[in-house]
Amino acid sequence: MASSLHPTARTGFTPLAGAAWYKRLHARLLACGSRRYTSAVEDHKRMLFGSLGGRVLEIGPGPGTNLPYFRADAEWIGVEPNPFMLEYIERAARELGRTVDVRAGSAEYLPFPTASVDAVACSLVLCTVHDVAAALREVRRVLRPGGTFAFIEHVAAPRGTALRATQRVARPVWRALADGCHPDRETWAAIQDAGFARVEMVHFRAPLPVVGPHVAGLAIR
């Protein structure tokens, strides 16, 4: 099991999220997870992440929650900005009996050569990055031609709805408490506009307050 994970700033930086105690707490909270949420998204994860083979890069794997969904024969590499996630990723890998390679980095600056991976995956990550367009450019850059980007993200509610207004009002506090997360991003539009050859996605609702609207899908380089 290889790792080169060292402290680094998350791109969706807020003063609170920059504190070591906050990073450690955030890692622990994510590791606890939510059975209800897991149940709501596991079919999407099994279908999307389980279809990826070869050299697979997961952006922001957190505590390794998605590891069980990836094929056992895939070469899994994670890029994670929070150093306190490493112990949880390693624990999850040991339980699955698989080898992982975890590296420090951010979605906007992936530490890989151009066209060097077969697939990229992310789950609840694009809500936190500082520059979504830059992150998606990096995804396209590191993917080989014909490679696949698999994603599951919470997104903004439809414009004009009460939930969209709630997301907008909650945004400042939500960002401070949820590691820079933006509850009202139209992430589906950013993916559609990122220059992929083909994008397929579905919208669905997860059992979460404020950030229930989700999208899941595949984009082909």
Side-chain angles (χ1 to χ4, degrees), residues 2-6 86 101-105:
S3 69
S4 58
L5 190 56
H6 302 286
L86 180 58
D101 179 358
V102 187
R103 307 183 189 185

Side-chain angles (χ1 to χ4, degrees), residues 64-128:
T65 304
N66 296 326
L67 275 177
Y69 300 100
F70 292 99
R71 285 166 40 178
D73 62 349
E75 179 190 351
W76 185 92
I77 307 168
V79 171
E80 172 57 51
N82 185 340
F84 298 107
M85 297 291 186
L86 180 58
E87 64 177 290
Y88 298 105
I89 297 174
E90 291 180 335
R91 183 186 305 168
R94 284 195 301 270
E95 292 175 354
L96 293 168
R98 73 180 301 157
T99 299
V100 296
D101 179 358
V102 187
R103 307 183 189 185
S106 67
E108 292 97 331
Y109 302 100
L110 296 174
F112 298 94
T114 297
S116 61
V117 301
D118 298 296
V120 177
C122 71
S123 174
L124 304 184
V125 169
L126 296 179
C127 57
T128 65

